[in-house]
Amino acid sequence: MNSTPKRYLITAALPYANGPLHIGHLAGVYVPADVYVRFLKELGRDVIWICGSDEHGVPITIRAQKEGCTPQQVVDKYHTLIKKSFEDFGIEFSIYSRTSNPTHYKTSQDFFLKLFEKGEFIEQEADQYYDPEANQFLADRYITGTCPHCQNPNAYGDQCERCGTSLNATDLINPKSAISGVKPILKKTKHWYLPLDKYQSFLEDWILKQHPEWKTNVLGQCRSWFDAGLHPRAVSRDLPWGVPVPLPNAEGKVLYVWFDAPIGYISATKELTPEWEMYWKSPDTKMVHFIGKDNIVFHCIVFPSMLHAHGEFILPDNVPANEFLNLEGEKLSTSRNWAVWLHEYIEDFPGKQDVLRYVLLANLPETKDNDFTWKDFQARNNSELVGILGNFFNRAMVLSEKYFDGKVPIKNNLDPEEIDYLAQILKQREAIIEAIENYRFRDALKEYMQLARLGNKYLAEREPWKIIKSDPQRVATIVYVALQLAASLSILGRPFLPFTAKKMLERTQH
């Protein structure tokens, strides 16, 4: 990949349409991705940002059973809620689609058929858990049990949410059906498998040799999978809800959600633009997947194997996965309602989207799990957003309005320190660019706030209000410098604080 791609394709993990969004989703994926996309647009880059609701998989059918409705009713309800929450929060996707639409069905079925016709799949019978009371095969999330790694008694058949380990249902200790609660039995069923072991050497070369710059948590998880040896992975499931396997004699079988969901990026791009192939098939495109750490395996091993096997698509340039965000020292939990729900936050804190964005950016779990607390939320709002950024910007505006009718005064002779202050604007801009280009969003935010700190320091040292009568020309220069810093803050702040930056920019232009 050359250093200046012609275009960018940014994807954000498709949220499951079985519940509302919470701050863990925002910190893990959507806020850093939104900053990155806004930043690229500020630089005038050709960029599209793809997302949508993931509407298949067992969590949807389980939610439908609990709520006494159909899976379609569940996804319609939560797709609408999630889409509106993103819009209200100021997350601006190029398209927010959904995997239950006809374009996605056709795209994912065509993808499956291409691999099938190329002979990439292994077709075989295997023992799968079956609920004798409910008379149905149990896909991974329909089985719970004890994790063999961390002893969590509530692990799922595909993953333990406590330790993040990816599992097979047969790995669980004391498995039970999530439908009836009975102990499942093993019964033979036929499925199609993607032979990940066949692609291991390609993946190792591509990830470990070609992309040593990827985040250590991403490389570490990939290495552990390589060390254990990759195995064939089923791409179909026995389920009544999902994209049907497009083959004869495959009744009751659907594409595994982790096969069809990432294809949702492709189908959404098709909906967005007739030039979708330019973004997915041209080596001049830089593709970046923003995800949480629980999706690393699927975006670094499974989906790239699918793309590689297909043969026509580019691979991601980076997969900057974040760790998890906790709430008040405890893991976020949908089942225990231990979360800050985005739609409720927007309702309870009208007009305060940027406060949450700022606090999440300052606490991003970039390299390790991090914690959100309301005390920190309050402290950062009061001491940083109001006390540092708001304080400097407001003082600069008030001085301009009070002494120069809100106009930018003509500067006189700048002293060496003032020349340094103005030069610092460019230095901070370069530091912000460097940090964002390397997916270090917390560092980028610190560099941005450093400019506001410099502004406060400058005004505190110069005290223009004390010399306005004796030396109005000096005050003109001081206010000129302060306004340059203020204008820079309003422009450089757009990726981080879009609502606030817009207000700041409007005020500097009046």
Side-chain angles (χ1 to χ4, degrees):
M1 173 60 66
N2 58 41
S3 56
T4 51
K6 277 191 182 174
R7 68 194 70 82
Y8 290 78
L9 169 62
I10 311 303
T11 74
L14 308 184
Y16 254 143
N18 73 325
L21 294 167
H22 57 60
I23 55 169
H25 301 127
L26 294 175
V29 180
Y30 306 106
V31 169
D34 192 60
V35 171
Y36 189 69
V37 171
R38 286 175 182 274
F39 159 78
L40 291 174
K41 287 178 178 176
E42 288 289 322
L43 295 181
R45 305 284 166 80
D46 174 353
V47 54
I48 59 171
W49 186 18
I50 305 299
C51 196
S53 296
D54 181 359
E55 299 183 330
H56 298 129
V58 177
I60 308 292
T61 52
I62 289 177
R63 173 71 72 161
Q65 283 180 332
K66 282 181 182 172
E67 296 188 7
C69 60
T70 66
Q72 189 65 52
Q73 287 172 316
V74 168
V75 298
D76 287 347
K77 171 184 172 181
Y78 288 110
H79 169 75
T80 303
L81 176 63
I82 291 168
K83 190 170 188 285
K84 185 175 188 306
S85 298
F86 277 135
E87 288 166 359
D88 291 345
F89 194 59
I91 299 284
E92 296 182 347
F93 301 110
S94 304
I95 184 170
Y96 188 79
S97 186
R98 55 194 306 191
T99 61
S100 64
N101 68 31
T103 302
H104 177 71
Y105 269 55
K106 182 169 186 340
T107 304
S108 50
Q109 287 180 327
D110 287 350
F111 198 108
F112 177 93
L113 284 172
K114 171 88 177 200
L115 268 59
F116 178 80
E117 285 159 8
K118 286 181 74 177
E120 293 289 340
F121 294 132
I122 300 166
E123 187 180 320
Q124 66 183 39
E125 278 197 338
D127 287 331
Q128 188 180 326
Y129 279 130
Y130 184 87
D131 185 326
E133 273 192 22
N135 292 318
Q136 74 174 71
F137 282 102
L138 299 174
D140 26 48
R141 292 256 158 170
Y142 271 118
I143 308 155
T144 60
T146 300
C147 172
H149 302 281
C150 73
Q151 311 310 309
N152 170 22
N154 299 309
Y156 293 113
D158 62 344
Q159 188 172 49
C160 173
E161 293 194 342
R162 181 189 287 173
C163 67
T165 304
S166 188
L167 301 168
N168 289 313
T170 49
D171 297 334
L172 292 175
I173 301 162
N174 299 323
K176 65 179 180 183
S177 166
I179 300 173
S180 65
V182 303
K183 184 177 180 179
I185 60 171
L186 288 169
K187 194 172 176 180
K188 290 207 178 296
T189 182
K190 183 178 75 174
H191 283 294
W192 292 267
Y193 291 77
L194 186 67
L196 296 179
D197 49 326
K198 175 181 168 182
Y199 314 122
Q200 178 155 346
S201 61
F202 149 73
L203 290 166
E204 288 191 44
D205 178 74
W206 170 61
I207 295 172
L208 304 180
K209 292 180 183 172
Q210 295 180 42
H211 289 290
E213 79 283 1
W214 284 10
K215 291 173 72 168
T216 52
N217 61 333
V218 176
L219 292 174
Q221 202 172 123
C222 291
R223 273 197 194 94
S224 69
W225 272 66
F226 295 148
D227 290 347
L230 300 183
H231 302 284
R233 193 177 187 94
V235 298
S236 57
R237 288 287 188 271
D238 293 291
L239 275 176
W241 175 248
V243 178
V245 171
L247 293 173
N249 306 317
E251 200 172 320
K253 296 187 188 293
V254 298
L255 299 181
Y256 176 35
V257 67
W258 268 113
F259 184 86
D260 98 85
I263 297 171
Y265 301 139
I266 302 171
S267 60
T269 313
K270 279 187 179 180
E271 286 180 73
L272 176 68
T273 173
E275 297 183 320
W276 69 273
E277 287 183 284
M278 188 171 71
Y279 288 92
W280 276 99
K281 298 183 178 182
S282 168
D284 292 327
T285 299
K286 177 173 178 173
M287 177 162 66
V288 181
H289 295 314
F290 281 87
I291 58 166
K293 71 174 175 184
D294 51 339
N295 289 348
I296 289 173
V297 168
F298 300 106
H299 285 76
C300 296
I301 292 177
V302 179
F303 189 41
S305 295
M306 291 161 55
L307 296 172
H308 176 70
H310 188 286
E312 294 177 18
F313 294 95
I314 60 168
L315 297 173
D317 187 79
N318 211 315
V319 187
N322 275 349
E323 299 292 293
F324 290 150
L325 186 74
N326 297 325
L327 172 60
E328 301 285 355
E330 286 187 48
K331 283 191 182 297
L332 288 156
S333 170
T334 303
S335 59
R336 291 190 297 113
N337 198 28
W338 184 249
V340 177
W341 303 108
L342 180 56
H343 65 291
E344 291 180 355
Y345 174 88
I346 290 165
E347 207 174 279
D348 294 342
F349 294 88
K352 299 293 183 187
Q353 294 96 327
D354 280 354
V355 180
L356 183 56
R357 274 180 78 104
Y358 180 84
V359 175
L360 293 177
L361 278 167
N363 283 317
L364 277 188
E366 290 179 332
T367 55
K368 60 181 177 59
D369 288 1
N370 223 334
D371 202 32
F372 176 93
T373 69
W374 285 111
K375 190 176 177 183
D376 180 67
F377 175 90
Q378 184 180 31
R380 287 192 186 275
N381 177 69
N382 295 346
S383 66
E384 295 174 23
L385 279 177
V386 177
I388 297 170
L389 179 61
N391 182 52
F392 166 69
F393 187 84
N394 195 52
R395 285 164 88 192
M397 292 296 109
V398 167
L399 288 168
S400 163
E401 289 153 8
K402 189 174 180 182
Y403 300 143
F404 304 101
D405 296 324
K407 296 185 175 73
V408 179
I410 296 167
K411 73 176 186 293
N412 298 288
N413 293 329
L414 297 169
D415 64 31
E417 200 171 27
E418 285 168 333
I419 292 169
D420 282 348
Y421 274 119
L422 293 176
Q424 196 63 35
I425 294 173
L426 287 176
K427 286 180 185 172
Q428 294 306 119
R429 179 180 180 272
E430 291 307 311
I432 291 167
I433 288 173
E434 195 270 336
I436 293 179
E437 283 183 335
N438 289 286
Y439 313 103
R440 298 195 322 272
F441 300 100
R442 288 171 66 176
D443 288 350
L445 186 68
K446 283 177 189 168
E447 298 292 355
Y448 172 72
M449 289 300 288
Q450 183 57 23
L451 208 51
R453 287 188 167 88
L454 284 172
N456 279 316
K457 180 173 179 280
Y458 175 67
L459 288 179
E461 287 171 350
R462 302 304 164 116
E463 299 183 313
W465 47 89
K466 287 190 177 179
I467 57 169
I468 183 63
K469 289 181 179 173
S470 62
D471 196 348
Q473 283 196 323
R474 180 94 278 271
V475 172
T477 301
I478 293 168
V479 173
Y480 170 86
V481 172
L483 288 175
Q484 298 306 311
L485 288 166
S488 299
L489 284 166
S490 63
I491 294 166
L492 294 171
R494 285 192 288 213
F496 308 111
L497 306 165
F499 294 96
T500 307
K502 188 181 178 192
K503 288 179 193 167
M504 290 164 71
L505 204 57
E506 285 168 356
R507 197 166 167 195
T508 61
Q509 292 170 345
H510 286 105

